[in-house]
Amino acid sequence: MTVLEATKSKNSSSVARSGRLFVLELSGDRIHSMKPDGSDRKTIVTDCRFPDGIAVDLEAGHIYWTNMGVPNLNDGSIERADLDGGNRKIIIPPGVTYTPKQMHLDEEGKKLYWCDREGMRVMRANLDGSQVETLVETGRGDKDRKDQTRWCVGITVDPNRRHIYWTQKGPDNGDLGRIFRANIDLPKGESPANRSDIEVLFDRLPEPIDLELDVANRVLYWTDRGDPPRGNTVNRAPIDTKAEPEILVTHLMEGIGIALDVPGNRMFVTDFAGSVYSADLDGKNERNFLYAQGNLTGIAYAEI
């Protein structure tokens, strides 16, 4: 990967932070690690199978990522490796999850959460891949699978109030995307397919993808890869009060991944055209510090 400064870049945030970015390159089936300005780039994992979501467990020294696989083969998987890419291991084998997409790691609860697109599920497991559970099921079978409004894509978790948030993106540029919330714990006597505690927080979105939650400030952030003006954007909204989403970043080329560094007042975003952006949490000081790097999907930030 090559660092290329975009001419439209503005001054970056003055807050000094260390740390690493972990970026998934779908087109090259690779995982890259780099400093937050794009320097010191290293390819740490190769030969993935259409990687989409990534999470970092600093305490254990692991990265986790999803492999979508080939949808009609139902061969998605989840892998784990050390932060440098060593000791690679499949923890969720093919056949357990259909097309795993974005993922979230709950450090306190020691759980991995992910969305299963063609499987039409929200799922979780222990960090070693054991005790796989389905928390939400939006459909079942080939007929339901053709309905893209059932496809679950992005996910995040509020460990304090024990909520999960996820996106169902709908058809491409269809303005049928939605963001949902439910309790982590399944209501007594209910199943993942008929649970009564699911809320629709936002609907008629172009095509919402990845989610991140600023737990301290109670603000939800997400990317949208649909048509402008509301699509190809980064958005945010408070989760405890009713408010219209605020568009923070525009002119993405199919925005996919988002990662927050709340103490550093910054976010990092990837798009399918191969760009990596940084910006303040309010969208100011946007900087496109990598571009034309293949098809980029998930991104994670960690203070190492």
Side-chain angles (χ1 to χ4, degrees), residues 19-272:
R20 305 284 299 183
L21 291 173
F22 296 85
V23 178
L24 300 181
E25 182 194 345
L26 177 74
S27 51
D29 281 330
R30 299 181 291 184
I31 303 177
H32 306 278
S33 172
M34 65 191 74
K35 290 183 178 179
D37 61 359
S39 63
D40 191 31
R41 300 174 313 282
K42 303 173 183 177
T43 300
I44 58 173
V45 177
T46 60
D47 299 320
C48 301
R49 297 194 70 249
F50 306 112
D52 197 78
I54 187 165
V56 181
D57 181 357
L58 279 182
E59 182 179 341
H62 292 147
I63 56 171
Y64 299 83
W65 70 94
T66 63
N67 294 301
M68 290 185 289
V70 180
N72 62 1
L73 297 181
N74 187 13
D75 64 347
S77 63
I78 296 178
E79 295 190 66
R80 184 186 74 195
D82 294 343
L83 297 178
D84 62 1
N87 295 314
R88 182 176 176 178
K89 179 182 181 182
I90 295 175
I91 61 167
I92 303 292
V96 175
T97 183
Y98 209 106
T99 322
K101 296 288 285 180
Q102 297 294 320
M103 69 188 316
H104 177 87
L105 187 145
D106 176 10
E107 296 181 0
E108 296 179 15
K110 305 297 183 185
K111 293 282 188 178
L112 280 176
Y113 292 78
W114 70 92
C115 275
D116 183 353
R117 189 179 64 188
E118 273 85 355
M120 301 169 287
R121 295 174 289 188
V122 176
M123 306 182 74
R124 74 172 180 176
N126 294 333
L127 299 184
D128 62 359
S130 63
Q131 198 177 334
V132 177
E133 302 172 82
T134 296
L135 303 179
V136 178
E137 185 178 37
T138 64
R140 183 178 295 183
D142 290 339
K143 182 179 178 181
D144 286 349
R145 211 173 338 270
K146 295 176 182 178
D147 179 0
Q148 295 184 34
T149 64
R150 300 176 183 270
W151 288 5
C152 305
V153 178
I155 188 164
T156 193
V157 174
D158 179 354
N160 297 335
R161 303 193 185 185
R162 295 193 59 75
H163 286 145
I164 48 175
Y165 295 79
W166 73 96
T167 64
Q168 290 174 214
K169 78 176 192 68
D172 294 350
N173 307 314
D175 289 328
L176 295 177
R178 293 169 290 174
I179 297 177
F180 296 85
R181 175 171 63 194
N183 296 314
I184 291 176
D185 301 309
L186 195 67
K188 188 175 180 179
E190 297 183 4
S191 73
N194 73 356
R195 56 187 303 166
S196 61
D197 61 337
I198 295 175
E199 304 173 67
V200 180
L201 296 185
F202 302 100
D203 61 3
R204 302 200 65 81
L205 301 176
E207 199 180 345
I209 304 296
D210 198 12
L211 290 171
E212 278 277 75
L213 179 62
D214 176 353
V215 176
N217 295 302
R218 314 293 298 160
V219 178
L220 188 68
Y221 291 73
W222 69 91
T223 55
D224 196 304
R225 66 181 292 186
D227 280 341
R230 293 191 305 151
N232 279 313
T233 54
V234 176
N235 309 263
R236 72 176 178 183
I239 56 173
D240 296 329
T241 58
K242 287 289 186 180
E244 285 295 313
E246 177 186 6
I247 296 176
L248 305 175
V249 177
T250 60
H251 297 93
L252 301 176
M253 295 296 289
E254 299 192 70
I256 304 291
I258 183 168
L260 302 184
D261 171 20
V262 174
N265 183 38
R266 59 186 177 177
M267 69 175 88
F268 301 93
V269 179
T270 57
D271 70 19
F272 212 57

Side-chain angles (χ1 to χ4, degrees), residues 289-302:
F289 60 87
L290 280 176
Y291 62 87
Q293 302 300 313
N295 302 131
L296 302 183
T297 51
I299 187 170
Y301 173 81

